[in-house]
Amino acid sequence: MKSSWTGVALACLLALSAPAFAEDGYDLWLRVPGVADPALPVRAIVGSEAPSPILRSAIDELRDGIGAAYGAAIPEAERIADDSLVIGTPAQLPAVGDLDLPLAGLGDEGYVIRRAPIDGKSAIVIAANDDRGLLYGAFALLRHLRTTGGLDGIDRTERPAVALRLLNHWDNPDGHVERGYAGRSIWDWWRLPGHVDPRYTDYARANASIGINGAVLNNVNARADMLTRRYIAKTAAIADVLRPWGMRVYLSARFSAPIDIGGLDTADPLDPRVRAWWAGKADEIYAAIPDFGGFLVKANSEGQPGPQDYDRTHADGANMLADALAPHGGVVMWRAFVYSDVNPEDRVKQAYSEFVPLDGSFRDNVLVQAKNGPLDFQPREPFHPLFGAMPDTPLMMEFQVTQEYLGFSTHLVYLGALWEEVLDADTRVRGEGSQVSDVIDGSLHDYALTGIAGVANIGSDRDWSGSIFGQSNWYALGRLAWNPDLSARDVAKEWLAQTFTRDPAFVEPVADMMMQSREAVVNYMTPLGLTHIMGTGHHYGPAPWIDDLSRPEWNPYYYHRATRGAVGFDRTARGSDAVSQYAPPLARAWGNPATTEDEYLLWFHRLSWDYRMRSGRTLWEELVARYDLGVAQVADMQATWAALGDYVDADRFKKVSDYLAIQRAEARWWRDACIAYFGDVSNRPLPEGVEPPAKSLEYYRGLAFPYAPGN
Ligand code: GCW
């Protein structure tokens, strides 16, 4: 990204009129603002004379950011003048200590930004207890400048709501990214540690700018090789690059590693040899990476090994690893994404059934990491009933940034809207106002550890995320993890202002478009609580008809069970009784179709196609109307974008336009195929005036995508 700035400077020097580099999205939201921005009064940056690497990052960032913004380099000065920018901890700069700023309670990552008198001069102060707070303060100031163009209203006091704000990379050692739609892995495991790609610095810097403080580098479907000496050295090289940006590295650990690479004949978590092996492995990792974060584990899920292979519990497995990491300060993030093909229980109930009885039996350095919903990152699910149900175990949120089930990288879907819906959902476990965000930030149950993770959408593509708008989801993950109470729309506006332009004539309509995009994808893929009806394996495109796979819960049909008479999954007491996993007021409401929101109707209920909806339409008519609405919403998005060409450089404008055209065609495909299928099963004619599907049901059923990415 710095190279782009050099490019601009060169271009200016040589007085060339054409831009010296393509607008390919590489600079993300950290773009060089136009020189036409109003001049900033800052004259000098004053900070510690011997800054740590993290503080060095912060100071360089300010110098480059402000210099770039205003076309002049700001020299670091010893002396404080009016409008100097002063950055430091009270320990580094006694003048900052004298200000008596409200730093108590801000921890290591919080910061205060104030205009305040120092040495009789009016300075702009960034203060914190630790250099990490200074780094986040520096980025906050730059964000303010980039989004507002000046320093008015800059005063703020912030600390992150959750401690672990992580990306989870599902990246394999061979460079393939599971569910990745942005090229190959950015981690070049083969050339590491001999060659460390400069791109890792840009990656770390982008994460720091939005408060992300760690990354799990490898896939949860983990290879044990990642824990060998050879690979630990590679991970250590990445850790060295990420550290000056306040980021720690973590690894996904394969539970059977003691067998796979350790020469043991068991991975039983209660076997002393196994425990000793993991303890030794932890010592080895920490010798190479003293601030290693810890392990993420997918165990006894989708074929991964785990403690249940030895008749032990998830707690036995997690605690063994926790004991190995504890002496070094590491954590275990144990995933709750478990379900089994031999368990006949409704798949969405299984995690709760397995984990709630274990509440309180995990070590202090264990978090249980649950996906936002009980199924699997669908366009819409109710919140996971584990949230609120494990008061004695820190629960960590797992969101999916990569759009596995939401159209891959070519569909514009702003996930901030989805995550806001989940975070704001009221679990009702302690009466009204017990939101999921209160569980996650630890306030509801006094969790000592807190975290939010997002499955990354990052790859080797020049634009990082496989699309320009995909970047907004990476951005939103960081911002909402820092503060889950932020409004998703405000976050979208922040991102737009920094990524494109601050002009409200652009920002307002595009923010509306982004907020609508989530509802659009629900409507054209899985309206009214339908779920998991996408193509098997690759998860691309509609396939509600599939019902012949060996594992019942891998069949789309399992989730809707449409027949001539009815559709939907009965999760009331008459059915699987999944409603009983929610607090009584919700269980009551969701136990009755009349008090269930349309959004969750077919998730919780099995209803006649003639069921009368709130709209007055029958269920069948409403379903068709929602599919039509979804397609129309994408058409609206396309029209909105098409009118804004004057605000966006040609390269990015065209890319977004192309993708919206793909999205529109695919929304139509989803609508046509689903209407054709459900109309066929229910034997219903299309409602009056509705356009028939473009092709026959057989045509849609015959489509195959052997080369779909990410699989
Ligand atoms: O949604 C499913 C994905 C798998 C993934 C799994 C999980 C990493 O299809 O690709 O595996 O979830 O979250 O473990």
Side-chain angles (χ1 to χ4, degrees), residues 170 178-179 221 298 302 335 337 371 376 404-405:
W170 286 357
E178 183 159 347
R179 312 308 178 183
N221 290 331
K298 173 176 178 177
E302 299 186 332
R335 294 177 89 226
F337 179 69
K371 293 186 180 182
D376 195 357
E404 173 182 359
Y405 293 100

Side-chain angles (χ1 to χ4, degrees), residues 165-453:
R165 306 177 300 281
L166 309 187
L167 285 176
N168 288 182
H169 291 269
W170 286 357
D171 294 19
N172 295 327
D174 67 0
H176 179 262
V177 181
E178 183 159 347
R179 312 308 178 183
Y181 313 103
R184 308 269 301 165
S185 173
I186 58 169
W187 313 124
D188 189 342
W189 294 111
W190 190 250
R191 295 191 182 104
L192 281 163
H195 174 68
V196 179
D197 191 332
R199 190 165 183 166
Y200 306 159
T201 304
D202 296 339
Y203 162 88
R205 173 177 172 243
N207 280 315
S209 77
I210 52 176
I212 288 176
N213 64 3
V216 183
L217 302 180
N218 62 316
N219 192 352
V220 289
N221 290 331
R223 299 294 308 246
D225 313 63
M226 294 298 299
L227 299 174
T228 57
R229 182 169 296 281
R230 178 171 151 82
Y231 277 83
I232 291 169
K234 295 169 187 282
T235 296
I238 297 176
D240 289 343
V241 179
L242 271 48
R243 192 172 295 116
W245 299 94
M247 288 185 78
R248 291 175 180 225
V249 299
Y250 300 73
L251 289 173
S252 293
R254 184 167 168 89
F255 198 79
S256 58
I259 303 173
D260 305 331
I261 58 168
L264 298 184
D265 58 4
T266 177
D268 181 348
L270 300 192
D271 186 311
R273 292 168 303 153
V274 172
R275 302 178 65 83
W277 186 85
W278 281 108
K281 189 48 73 179
D283 293 346
E284 184 187 341
I285 294 173
Y286 279 91
I289 312 167
D291 58 352
F292 179 69
F295 292 138
L296 173 64
V297 186
K298 173 176 178 177
N300 293 120
S301 166
E302 299 186 332
Q304 294 301 309
Q308 293 176 342
D309 302 347
Y310 308 93
D311 288 327
R312 312 297 186 195
T313 67
H314 285 293
D316 293 330
N319 290 345
M320 172 196 59
L321 296 176
D323 289 343
L325 295 170
H328 308 283
V331 300
V332 173
M333 297 165 290
W334 193 269
R335 294 177 89 226
F337 179 69
V338 296
Y339 62 98
S340 146
D341 53 334
V342 291
N343 184 349
E345 190 179 40
D346 177 1
R347 172 173 162 184
V348 309
K349 291 183 72 179
Q350 294 184 25
Y352 181 105
S353 301
E354 281 198 51
F355 277 85
V356 170
L358 299 174
D359 189 26
S361 56
F362 292 93
R363 297 279 192 270
D364 289 347
N365 56 334
V366 176
L367 301 104
V368 168
Q369 178 168 312
K371 293 186 180 182
N372 57 271
L375 180 51
D376 195 357
F377 296 139
Q378 298 301 298
R380 174 170 273 128
E381 298 179 43
F383 70 86
H384 202 307
L386 275 180
F387 297 123
M390 295 187 69
D392 296 318
T393 309
L395 287 176
M396 179 164 175
M397 174 66 77
E398 180 175 315
F399 288 130
Q400 193 179 43
V401 191
T402 190
Q403 291 171 232
E404 173 182 359
Y405 293 100
L406 291 91
F408 298 1
S409 55
T410 42
H411 289 212
L412 192 166
V413 181
Y414 174 52
L415 297 172
L418 190 167
W419 301 334
E420 177 176 57
E421 176 177 289
V422 175
L423 292 166
D424 289 354
D426 196 346
T427 68
R428 306 289 289 270
V429 293
R430 295 254 171 100
E432 278 183 38
S434 321
Q435 295 186 353
V436 170
S437 60
D438 303 325
V439 176
I440 296 306
D441 71 14
S443 57
L444 196 68
H445 303 306
D446 281 331
Y447 292 160
L449 291 175
T450 53
I452 293 186

Side-chain angles (χ1 to χ4, degrees), residues 549-617:
L549 305 174
S550 58
R551 288 183 68 149
E553 77 292 351
W554 280 358
N555 285 292
Y557 186 79
Y558 174 95
Y559 298 96
H560 62 74
R561 301 163 188 221
T563 59
R564 180 114 179 209
V567 62
F569 197 125
D570 187 352
R571 296 196 161 101
T572 69
R574 284 177 306 282
S576 79
D577 202 25
V579 288
S580 67
Q581 295 183 337
Y582 290 94
L586 289 180
R588 266 196 304 280
W590 286 339
N592 177 354
T595 49
T596 301
E597 302 87 329
D598 287 357
E599 284 70 20
Y600 300 132
L601 200 61
L602 300 176
W603 176 280
F604 286 117
H605 303 285
R606 178 163 184 79
L607 299 168
S608 151
W609 291 104
D610 294 321
Y611 177 81
R612 197 52 70 181
M613 301 290 294
R614 290 187 179 83
S615 63
R617 299 187 183 109

